[in-house]
Amino acid sequence: MSNKKIYKVIGVMSGTSMDGLDCSLIETDGINYYKVMKEYSFNYERNYKNKLIDIIQKLPNSKNERINYAKNNEALITNTIFKLINEFIKKIKYKKKNIDLIGLSGQTIFHDPKNQYTLQLSSGKDLCKKIKIPVVSNFRDKDIQLGGQGAPIGCFYHKYLIKKINMNSAILNIGGVSNITYLLNKKLIGFDIGPGNAIIDDLVYFFYKKNFDKSGKYAKKGLLINNIYNSYKKNLFFKKKYPKSLDRNYFKSYLNKLKEYKKNDAIHTASLMTVFSIINSINFHKIKLNEIILTGGGRKNIFILNRLNEYFKEKNIKVSLIDKYGFNGDLIESQMFAYLAVRSIKKLPISIPSTTGVNYPISGGILYK
């Protein structure tokens, strides 16, 4: 297969924030050529998001039970994704026959890097049957089989962005979980750094029945809960070197404790926990750069953004939003799965030892046609 071939691909992403489905139609060769054609974000209805949360909360304890449980709950997610992709294709008025591939991420409901297994719900096989377009999915399976953690999986797309924008920068995605990607002497490095929006969003819904802290207005009104914040900073995760990755609920014990305090103080503290995880990732790993480029929903949180700017200004590190460079920061992850789908069918690497801990550079993803 020629690596020069350019594909028209829909990338589909439902992140750990579980706030909606992002769809991006792009043209790419999976290497250096890339063009965004059409994009759209669908917000999940609260009822559906509650079902996703309920699926996660009711996960059984053993690995085998979890795998069976995941299969039994997969149809709900696959059907929802099918419906929304169809809606996306109608909305952009694009002929289905001209779409070469769909890159499908699946909804992460459990991630256990210690025991090297992860669960993403949505069936590429069933989606392909329904939508009549080839689907690439299961991007993480091969990585895990060969000693990797299966996450973070999007570093090669982030590398493309870094090379296009600033070779001395890092891409920092603040989703439900935050992750960072950068180049060290041309070596690609990426890892999860801590909670992003997950704890904040869960607290905002618990206290206010809203999906997120718009612009960080609740956090701005609160005060720091020192004992929880200081305990959080001592968590062993922050002393681990990469490769490392996280489940959305890894820090759930702090969420439960914060629910017992005043609402804005709890949200303020959770937001500073996210800020700390970002600062710690740069300092602990001694990352030398001159710019941090933010993507994901957390980049819109003005409280978090201001705190990052205050800290990194003294280090002569610029904090930028990727939108400044002509990319939609809400849709980077869906673009990423389109890009990875093409790399997968061309057998190009999507993960390496310094991103997921896999034994050697590998491609991944299963093609259903």
Side-chain angles (χ1 to χ4, degrees):
M1 181 182 294
S2 170
N3 280 344
K4 292 181 181 178
K5 184 172 178 181
I6 293 167
Y7 291 82
K8 293 178 176 66
V9 197
I10 294 177
V12 182
M13 176 65 178
S14 181
T16 49
S17 292
M18 299 185 295
D19 48 4
L21 190 79
D22 301 327
C23 297
S24 298
L25 174 63
I26 70 169
E27 278 186 344
T28 185
D29 63 356
I31 308 169
N32 297 318
Y33 176 77
Y34 177 91
K35 179 185 176 184
V36 175
M37 298 171 73
K38 297 284 184 179
E39 301 186 291
Y40 194 80
S41 289
F42 296 93
N43 293 323
Y44 288 147
E45 293 177 3
R46 188 69 219 186
N47 182 47
Y48 178 71
K49 182 170 180 174
N50 286 342
K51 285 179 182 177
L52 294 181
I53 292 170
D54 192 53
I55 288 170
I56 292 171
Q57 289 177 343
K58 290 180 178 176
L59 267 170
N61 292 323
S62 77
K63 182 176 178 178
N64 287 338
E65 284 179 323
R66 280 176 176 157
I67 291 168
N68 290 330
Y69 173 82
K71 286 177 183 174
N72 292 335
N73 284 279
E74 193 162 58
L76 170 71
I77 287 98
T78 304
N79 290 337
T80 301
I81 290 173
F82 165 68
K83 176 186 165 189
L84 293 177
I85 294 175
N86 261 338
E87 200 172 320
F88 173 66
I89 293 168
K90 287 176 186 173
K91 188 178 282 289
I92 64 174
K93 296 176 181 175
Y94 201 79
K95 290 181 180 178
K96 195 182 280 191
K97 67 179 182 180
N98 292 333
I99 299 166
D100 298 307
L101 288 171
I102 292 172
L104 175 66
S105 72
Q107 178 65 57
T108 299
I109 63 161
F110 184 73
H111 183 68
D112 184 1
K114 185 177 178 183
N115 293 304
Q116 291 180 312
Y117 86 100
T118 186
L119 296 173
Q120 283 75 39
L121 295 196
S122 68
S123 167
K125 184 178 180 181
D126 290 348
L127 179 62
C128 179
K129 282 180 183 176
K130 286 172 174 287
I131 208 158
K132 306 292 190 290
I133 298 171
V135 175
V136 181
S137 64
N138 304 78
F139 289 93
R140 305 170 198 269
D141 291 4
K142 188 176 178 183
D143 182 88
I144 286 174
Q145 288 163 14
L146 293 171
Q149 297 188 16
I153 204 70
C155 296
F156 272 88
Y157 181 55
H158 292 167
K159 178 185 177 182
Y160 166 83
L161 295 172
I162 288 168
K163 288 172 75 175
K164 199 159 185 70
I165 298 169
N166 173 7
M167 287 289 285
N168 198 26
S169 69
I171 298 288
L172 201 149
N173 172 50
I174 310 177
V177 170
S178 296
N179 56 68
I180 191 168
T181 306
Y182 61 100
L183 295 170
L184 177 62
N185 300 324
K186 297 186 179 179
K187 178 184 177 184
L188 180 62
I189 296 170
F191 53 92
D192 285 350
I193 62 175
N197 306 316
I199 298 175
I200 302 166
D201 290 353
D202 288 351
L203 286 170
V204 170
Y205 189 73
F206 177 77
F207 288 123
Y208 289 104
K209 293 295 179 280
K210 292 186 178 177
N211 291 332
F212 57 92
D213 185 9
K214 190 174 182 180
S215 299
K217 63 179 181 179
Y218 298 132
K220 191 177 179 181
K221 295 174 185 175
L223 298 171
L224 183 64
I225 304 165
N226 282 293
N227 62 320
I228 291 181
Y229 182 67
N230 291 332
S231 169
Y232 168 82
K233 289 198 296 182
K234 293 174 185 173
N235 191 281
L236 291 176
F237 178 80
F238 299 120
K239 295 177 175 64
K240 285 184 182 177
K241 293 183 178 180
Y242 65 84
K244 57 181 181 176
S245 59
L246 279 172
D247 181 67
R248 184 187 192 278
N249 289 326
Y250 177 87
F251 289 99
K252 191 175 180 181
S253 61
Y254 297 98
L255 167 67
N256 294 334
K257 289 173 187 173
L258 287 168
K259 286 178 177 178
E260 298 172 6
Y261 288 82
K262 291 180 180 177
K263 46 193 175 184
N264 290 338
D265 292 353
I267 295 164
H268 176 97
T269 303
S271 302
L272 287 182
M273 284 158 59
T274 293
V275 172
F276 169 80
S277 69
I278 294 167
I279 292 171
N280 174 77
S281 69
I282 305 293
N283 292 341
F284 179 74
H285 293 90
K286 297 181 173 63
I287 304 172
K288 297 191 184 304
L289 41 78
N290 59 26
E291 185 176 15
I292 299 169
I293 302 168
L294 301 182
T295 75
R299 81 194 190 287
K300 296 178 180 176
N301 188 311
I302 304 301
F303 177 82
I304 289 174
L305 188 59
N306 286 343
R307 292 302 179 104
L308 291 175
N309 273 314
E310 285 169 18
Y311 180 84
F312 286 111
K313 189 176 181 181
E314 294 181 6
K315 307 283 184 182
N316 293 315
I317 299 172
K318 180 168 64 171
V319 178
S320 310
L321 304 188
I322 199 162
D323 311 71
K324 168 187 170 183
Y325 296 105
F327 294 90
N328 187 329
D330 289 330
L331 293 157
I332 294 299
E333 303 295 285
S334 53
Q335 296 169 14
M336 176 183 91
F337 278 100
Y339 186 81
L340 291 183
V342 174
R343 289 188 70 85
S344 293
I345 63 169
K346 290 185 176 184
K347 308 299 181 190
L348 296 169
I350 66 169
S351 59
I352 56 177
S354 56
T355 60
T356 64
V358 68
N359 294 334
Y360 48 84
I362 60 158
S363 191
I366 298 172
L367 173 63
Y368 297 97
K369 6 184 220 180

